Amino acid sequence: MMRYIKLVNFEINRFSKIYLSLLLITLVSQFAGVIIVTKSLLKDARETISNEKLSEAAYIANYGGIDFTHITNTLLFVGPIALSAVALIFYIFLIWYRDWFGKNTFIYRILMLPTSRLSIYFSKATAIFLMVLGLIAFQIIILPMENALFHTNVPEALLNEISISTITKASQVLALIIPSTFTQFLISYGIGLMIMSILFTAIMFERSFRIKGVVMGLVYCGIAIALFLAPFFVMAFGDFYFYPNELFGLLLALGIILTGLSVWLGAWLLKNRVTV
């Protein structure tokens, strides 16, 4: 267990500089977005009030108040979240291929460690998942701060004050990364774990069989995706209908099966087919 924890810590430390940069970019971009977009919204509101000779109450009645959802739909707010997501998807590949193609072919040293290769596999998966949760936790922490900054910059007469939970539900991006219920959390991050395990297995196919492995990995990804989406295909092309609870149960079962199969197959390839 200690070796596994050390491996997880090692993997996180290797990505720490980029990871901290993503956190900093998110912090600066979103707070800058709050200030810039708020000033733009207030400028537009005042111009409308002036041009149409409206009172603030009349403006609210005609156009509604200014709330934080105007911020969450901007590039300055959503952009860093998308950048972080892309960076972590890219790191799913980098976390393996850097060891093979790095300056000192570090994979030789890792695979020769006196520990189970399954620990190596799980340490990489755990590191990525912890970094995902860290980014989400960071967003949850700074969101109330951003909302408070927004409130201090908008006059009370024009402010439409809404709760943090309403903000997350109103934004498609925030609703996806910050689920409002435990069931939604299981769906969102369960699918994320499944996709990561499938990609890990595809990488192990490529590392085991090289050119043939690329084809095998792509085929495996295609089959896994088709199996997971099979209930939707059945409903779309067959004379059949699943109730929401039945569909959720099927997707949950398929997700667990595909994740378990991918982990087992990827770990087996790493242990028996990947050589130093």
Side-chain angles (χ1 to χ4, degrees):
M1 179 58 72
M2 287 303 299
R3 287 175 179 172
Y4 162 74
I5 294 174
K6 288 180 179 179
L7 284 170
V8 173
N9 182 62
F10 173 72
E11 292 293 350
I12 292 175
N13 286 338
R14 296 175 80 190
F15 193 63
S16 59
K17 291 182 180 178
I18 298 175
Y19 189 69
L20 291 174
S21 297
L22 292 174
L23 295 178
L24 182 60
I25 290 171
T26 300
L27 182 71
V28 172
S29 179
Q30 290 189 355
F31 272 91
V34 171
I35 296 171
I36 294 170
V37 176
T38 299
K39 287 183 178 180
S40 176
L41 290 171
L42 288 174
K43 179 182 177 183
D44 293 341
R46 289 176 181 132
E47 287 180 353
T48 301
I49 290 172
S50 175
N51 293 336
E52 299 184 16
K53 296 181 174 56
L54 299 173
S55 65
E56 290 180 338
Y59 176 85
I60 294 292
N62 292 339
Y63 297 100
I66 301 175
D67 59 59
F68 197 78
T69 59
H70 291 91
I71 308 292
T72 59
N73 294 320
T74 63
L75 181 61
L76 283 172
F77 190 92
V78 177
I81 298 175
L83 176 64
S84 298
V86 170
L88 288 175
I89 291 172
F90 176 72
Y91 193 62
I92 290 176
F93 296 91
L94 182 64
I95 201 171
W96 287 105
Y97 285 110
R98 177 177 55 185
D99 293 338
W100 264 280
F101 300 112
K103 186 175 181 181
N104 298 315
T105 318
F106 194 70
I107 192 64
Y108 296 148
R109 294 164 61 186
I110 291 180
L111 294 180
M112 294 300 291
L113 288 173
T115 185
S116 169
R117 290 191 180 185
L118 188 62
S119 296
I120 298 171
Y121 181 97
F122 279 123
S123 68
K124 293 180 182 293
T126 302
I128 292 174
F129 190 63
L130 288 176
M131 284 187 280
V132 171
L133 293 181
L135 285 169
I136 303 309
F138 184 71
Q139 183 64 74
I140 292 173
I141 291 170
I142 66 173
L143 187 58
M145 300 178 188
E146 294 164 349
N147 193 38
L149 177 62
F150 174 77
H151 285 182
T152 60
N153 283 278
V154 178
E156 188 175 349
L158 297 176
L159 178 64
N160 180 22
E161 188 172 350
I162 57 178
S163 66
I164 297 297
S165 61
T166 302
I167 292 171
T168 56
K169 291 176 182 177
S171 169
Q172 291 183 343
V173 174
L174 289 179
L176 178 64
I177 67 172
I178 309 175
S180 58
T181 66
F182 183 67
T183 300
Q184 291 176 335
F185 174 84
L186 288 178
I187 293 173
S188 296
Y189 292 97
I191 291 174
L193 280 173
M194 180 188 70
I195 293 173
M196 181 176 66
S197 66
I198 291 171
L199 291 177
F200 269 22
T201 301
I203 292 169
M204 290 302 100
F205 270 120
E206 189 278 328
R207 288 291 84 197
S208 299
F209 304 102
R210 298 303 189 268
I211 300 299
K212 291 181 180 179
V214 174
V215 177
M216 295 170 70
L218 291 173
V219 170
Y220 181 78
C221 289
I223 293 173
I225 293 171
L227 285 174
F228 185 71
L229 298 178
F232 296 103
F233 294 147
V234 170
M235 289 193 296
F237 301 106
D239 187 16
F240 205 85
Y241 177 79
F242 293 110
Y243 290 103
N245 288 340
E246 293 174 334
L247 183 60
F248 173 75
L250 280 172
L251 293 178
L252 180 61
L254 287 170
I256 292 173
I257 291 170
L258 287 171
T259 301
L261 176 63
S262 297
V263 170
W264 173 81
L265 184 55
W268 184 88
L269 288 169
L270 180 62
K271 179 181 178 180
N272 297 287
R273 300 294 306 185
V274 176
T275 62
V276 296

